[in-house]
Amino acid sequence: MIKLNENYLKLQDSYLFSTIAKKVSEFQEKNPNKRVIKLGIGDVTLPIAPTIIENIKKSADEMSKKETFKGYGPEQGYDFLREKIVQFDYKTRKIEIEKDEIFVSDGAKCDTANIQELFSVDNIVAITDPVYPVYLDTNVMAGRSGNFNKETGKFDKIVYMKVCAENDFKPEIPKEKVDLIYLCFPNNPTGTVLNKIELKKWVDYAKENKAIILFDSAYEGFIVEDNVPHSIYEIEGAKEVAIEFRSFSKTAGFTGLRCAYTVVPKELKIDGISLNKLWNRRQTTKFNGVSYIIQKAAEAVYTEEGQKQIKQNIEYYRENARIIREGLISAGYTVYGGVNAPYIWLKVPNNMKSWEFFDELLSKANVVGTPGSGFGPSGEGYFRLTAFGNREDTIEAIQRIKKLK
Ligand code: PLP
């Protein structure tokens, strides 16, 4: 008889965003005249830069003519885009990455989710707590999690690396030996970063313990401080132990267009077997490439105009982040992140729980954010606001929050 993959039954329902939506709609029903401002969602709001749109139109036109029509493209991505990535994202930072170490995809979400297929189910996985939930859930689906403990809110085979104000949101090397380590910096949800020395500790650990780091740098475009690495390959030796995930979603507003890439260096081997070869095998088997039009859109990101335009958008969000951060600090809140990232992580005042603060903010200030406990047990007592809203709403939301105090 057919049997289910019972690991799926272990997944904890994510009530986070549906509960938020339900609470907001109930509030609006009762208070139709109140204007609710949403600073909760991690999605961009500014339109795609004009140069990128031009390239989309041009490449759509190419599809309309027999001579320039394109069917299936290379599963790994077109050379024109992989070459730009090598040149602009790595060579300019003095990092040697080869074109065939780049795998273009339709999202860092699916890449960070799919990559674990390359590793045995016996491996021990380390994630931060709080965390971007994809890393956890995909390992649960694969059978690496053990059982869920309702009391702790944790799976018993996953190693949770608590990040909180007490350790400055820097995960500590676990006491137990781990094999696969997910690191996301700049971090979602805390908005915090690691500097080069802090990241080097992880590279050294991975080398000594034959572990692999899965480094998600989807928010790399928001980094402004010099000592914060844009790529894990800025750390010597990282090519032997790390896979890097990048995305055009937050850096160029591609959340609706869908384009990202993953770097699997050729030096990365387990028992002499190349992970680059295995990932290539996986992608060519299960994936048929990102559309030509969208890869052309991504190529436009690397033109002079494209760079200028996407930086203007990032600057807009960064200014929102500054307004939120400084406004909250001046109102007496303790605030983290928001400097090299579009996320502001605040300590909930008066020992309230994250959801209590959510309710208070919604009912009294009519502002929506995301309760930290939704990202893991150690997110309890924290709250996430995002800088992706529009300027006027961001300013007004902060004015309203200030009045609360
Ligand atoms: N990685 C992190 C840490 C994210 O926060 C997100 C989106 O919110 C993603 C990956 C998803 O990126 P993409 O849109 O490329 O799938």
Side-chain angles (χ1 to χ4, degrees), residues 79-95 97 102 220 230-231 234 246 248 261 298-308 310-311:
D79 278 355
F80 64 76
L81 180 57
R82 296 167 96 197
E83 279 161 9
K84 294 280 183 331
I85 291 168
V86 164
Q87 181 62 35
F88 287 89
D89 290 346
Y90 293 102
K91 251 201 183 97
T92 52
R93 295 194 181 277
K94 302 193 170 56
I95 300 167
I97 293 288
I102 307 280
E220 171 274 332
H230 289 249
S231 163
E234 287 175 43
R246 294 267 190 114
F248 295 95
Y261 65 87
E299 186 191 21
V301 167
Y302 296 104
T303 60
E304 210 181 312
E305 269 307 290
Q307 282 293 299
K308 219 162 74 193
I310 65 157
K311 282 185 179 144

Side-chain angles (χ1 to χ4, degrees), residues 42 106-110 112 132 135 184 186-188 216 218-219 246-250 254-255 258-260 343 384:
D106 58 357
K109 183 180 194 174
C110 37
T112 53
Y132 175 57
Y135 317 147
C184 170
N187 189 259
N188 178 14
D216 185 345
Y219 297 94
R246 294 267 190 114
S247 173
F248 295 95
S249 282
K250 306 297 161 74
F254 273 50
T255 54
R258 312 302 307 142
C259 197
Y343 298 118
R384 192 189 77 171

